[in-house]
């Protein structure tokens, strides 16, 4: 059984899915803007919701830091840019694929 964890690297605007210490996939992401930066540190996924509506796109995965999550989007042009209020934005197809792989309590590291 895989032992998944997620590393979000803000400097290269990518989310890495790891199984143990091996990167199995990398996804482009949008991150927090200057005034509402993405939080740094260690978190876990505490909830998941398909089709949450609005700007959250096709899927929402809430982090253990309240009000922050990894989610889809309603503006694909925002991916790769500093545009969010701190959340990690992904293409809808990517976030759905990721959500099907990672269980609740998956470790998420956000680093610069």
């Amino acid at each position: 059984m895989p032992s998944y964890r997620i590393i979000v690297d803000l400097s290269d605007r990518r989310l890495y899915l790891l199984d143990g210490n091996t990167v199995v996939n990398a996804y482009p992401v949008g991150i927090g803007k200057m005034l509402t930066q993405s939080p740094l540190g260690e978190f876990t996924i505490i909830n998941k919701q398909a089709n949450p509506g609005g700007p959250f796109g096709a899927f929402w995965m809430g982090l253990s830091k309240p009000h922050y999550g990894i989610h889809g989007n309603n503006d694909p042009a925002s991916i790769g840019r500093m545009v969010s209020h701190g959340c990690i934005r992904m293409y809808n197809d990517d976030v759905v694929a990721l959500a099907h792989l990672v269980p609740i309590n998956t470790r998420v590291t956000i680093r610069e």
Side-chain angles (χ1 to χ4, degrees), residues 1 7 11-12 16 21 25-27 34 43 45 50 57 61 79-80 83 85 88 96 101 104-105 109:
M1 188 167 139
I7 296 177
S11 62
D12 66 7
Y16 297 98
N21 289 316
N25 215 330
Y27 305 94
M34 195 60 72
F43 310 100
I45 293 172
M61 291 184 283
I79 302 303
V83 290
H85 288 99
I88 306 302
V96 168
L101 291 173
I104 285 178
N105 293 322
T109 303

Side-chain angles (χ1 to χ4, degrees), residues 61-110:
M61 291 184 283
L63 297 178
S64 52
K65 183 169 179 72
H67 314 294
Y68 290 91
I70 298 169
H71 63 79
N73 73 90
N74 59 358
D75 179 13
S78 69
I79 302 303
R81 299 173 50 206
M82 295 174 67
V83 290
S84 79
H85 288 99
C87 288
I88 306 302
R89 286 190 189 180
M90 300 179 69
Y91 289 117
N92 286 320
D93 289 349
D94 288 351
V95 77
V96 168
L98 181 65
H100 282 88
L101 291 173
V102 297
I104 285 178
N105 293 322
T106 297
R107 196 166 108 223
V108 177
T109 303
I110 302 178

